[in-house]
Amino acid sequence: MAEEVWVGTWRPHRPRGPIMALYSSPGPKYLIPPTTGFVKHTPTKQRAPAYSFRGAPMLLAENCSPGPRYSVNPKILRTGKDYGPSFSILGRYCAKTMLTPGPGDYFPEKSTKHVFDSAPSHSISARTKTFRVDSTPGPAAYMLPVVMGPHTVGKVSQPSFSIKGRSKLGSFSDDLHKTPGPAAYRQTDVQVTRFKAPQYTMAARVEPPGDKTLKPGPGAHSPEKVTMTKPSAPVVSFGIKHSDYMTPLVVDVE
């Protein structure tokens, strides 16, 4: 009975690949890129050129052409400005004054030697500076070459010999074995092998123990003021004045 329902050889079966009917999406129209516009255009179709509309250009804030609205200065001609005579009031010009000598600054009495004939006069002055810096050598700056010894110039010198000191290397006193001599040994102290003599040392002075406090001297005592062993005149002193009407202080002592 079930085989009679289907027509032909088609029977229900599982699809070989995924189909859009199995998904809950709105449809395949959202997956295909658009063919209009410029953004996200489909790469399979040819895209037409896109143009944009630009706004009107802004007017310049400053106009370079002055135009006839400006009034031209009547003093300006085609040859330039027409200047008439004009004067201005300025301050007094400050001229720099130079100090010139007066009649009292000259000494005509000192010009006698320059105007009239006078005898020659000489003065002893110090050495000039040009002579100090003069680098010309004098006669003592030259020195003739020596005529004696091996360093003569222009002359034949005799052979000269020098006495040299004795060399320590290869002489009879040269110690080839480097053995110590008698003076290389130190002498043993006699007190090591014999009885040792007593030794004394000089110490500093020893002060005896005593009282270092300051004691009064003879001038510190005043025997004329002693009145305990000698008779003395009565000495009267002024006491405190008491009133006859004041009750004396009585202290009960049990």
Side-chain angles (χ1 to χ4, degrees), residues 104-183:
D105 295 335
Y106 299 97
F107 299 93
E109 64 276 1
K110 295 182 179 180
S111 62
T112 307
K113 297 181 180 180
H114 303 280
V115 178
F116 301 100
D117 297 336
S118 60
S121 57
H122 304 280
S123 61
I124 301 175
S125 61
R127 181 175 295 179
T128 58
K129 295 182 179 180
T130 56
F131 185 78
R132 294 179 182 178
V133 298
D134 192 4
S135 59
T136 305
Y142 300 96
M143 184 174 61
L144 297 176
V146 294
V147 295
M148 298 179 62
H151 302 288
T152 58
V153 178
K155 294 182 179 295
V156 179
S157 60
Q158 298 296 328
S160 57
F161 305 94
S162 60
I163 301 175
K164 190 178 181 181
R166 181 176 296 174
S167 177
K168 294 182 179 181
L169 182 62
S171 62
F172 66 93
S173 61
D174 187 11
D175 189 7
L176 301 178
H177 295 283
K178 304 297 180 181
T179 56

Side-chain angles (χ1 to χ4, degrees), residues 20 27 30 95 146 151 194 197 201 243:
M20 298 303 299
Y30 292 98
V146 294
H151 302 288
R194 297 186 180 182
T201 57
S243 176

Side-chain angles (χ1 to χ4, degrees), residues 165-220:
R166 181 176 296 174
S167 177
K168 294 182 179 181
L169 182 62
S171 62
F172 66 93
S173 61
D174 187 11
D175 189 7
L176 301 178
H177 295 283
K178 304 297 180 181
T179 56
Y185 298 97
R186 187 177 59 182
Q187 185 179 3
T188 307
D189 193 3
V190 182
Q191 297 181 4
V192 177
T193 57
R194 297 186 180 182
F195 294 101
K196 186 176 182 180
Q199 297 178 352
Y200 303 94
T201 57
M202 186 179 296
R205 180 177 296 177
V206 180
E207 296 182 0
D211 190 6
K212 295 183 179 181
T213 58
L214 298 177
K215 307 298 189 297

Side-chain angles (χ1 to χ4, degrees), residues 9-252:
T9 59
W10 184 89
R11 297 292 183 271
H13 63 277
R14 183 175 296 179
R16 299 177 181 178
I19 60 177
M20 298 303 299
L22 299 177
Y23 298 96
S24 60
S25 60
K29 63 179 180 179
Y30 292 98
L31 299 179
I32 301 175
T35 57
T36 60
F38 184 82
V39 182
K40 296 182 180 181
H41 192 273
T42 175
T44 59
K45 301 293 183 179
Q46 186 177 2
R47 185 174 57 183
Y51 303 97
S52 61
F53 293 93
R54 187 178 180 183
M58 297 178 61
L59 297 177
L60 297 178
E62 296 180 359
N63 195 356
C64 300
S65 175
R69 58 180 178 176
Y70 296 97
S71 58
V72 183
N73 192 357
K75 293 185 178 181
I76 299 178
L77 306 177
R78 63 182 183 85
T79 56
K81 291 185 178 181
D82 184 15
Y83 289 103
S86 58
F87 304 95
S88 61
I89 301 175
L90 298 177
R92 180 175 294 179
Y93 179 73
C94 182
K96 185 177 180 181
T97 58
M98 300 178 61
L99 297 177
T100 56
D105 295 335
Y106 299 97
F107 299 93
E109 64 276 1
K110 295 182 179 180
S111 62
T112 307
K113 297 181 180 180
H114 303 280
V115 178
F116 301 100
D117 297 336
S118 60
S121 57
H122 304 280
S123 61
I124 301 175
S125 61
R127 181 175 295 179
T128 58
K129 295 182 179 180
T130 56
F131 185 78
R132 294 179 182 178
V133 298
D134 192 4
S135 59
T136 305
Y142 300 96
M143 184 174 61
L144 297 176
V146 294
V147 295
M148 298 179 62
H151 302 288
T152 58
V153 178
K155 294 182 179 295
V156 179
S157 60
Q158 298 296 328
S160 57
F161 305 94
S162 60
I163 301 175
K164 190 178 181 181
R166 181 176 296 174
S167 177
K168 294 182 179 181
L169 182 62
S171 62
F172 66 93
S173 61
D174 187 11
D175 189 7
L176 301 178
H177 295 283
K178 304 297 180 181
T179 56
Y185 298 97
R186 187 177 59 182
Q187 185 179 3
T188 307
D189 193 3
V190 182
Q191 297 181 4
V192 177
T193 57
R194 297 186 180 182
F195 294 101
K196 186 176 182 180
Q199 297 178 352
Y200 303 94
T201 57
M202 186 179 296
R205 180 177 296 177
V206 180
E207 296 182 0
D211 190 6
K212 295 183 179 181
T213 58
L214 298 177
K215 307 298 189 297
H221 302 280
S222 302
E224 67 276 0
K225 297 181 180 180
V226 178
T227 57
M228 298 179 63
T229 58
K230 296 181 180 180
S232 61
V235 180
V236 182
S237 61
F238 295 93
I240 302 175
K241 186 176 182 181
H242 300 280
S243 176
D244 297 339
Y245 303 99
M246 183 180 294
T247 305
L249 179 61
V250 178
V251 180
D252 297 336

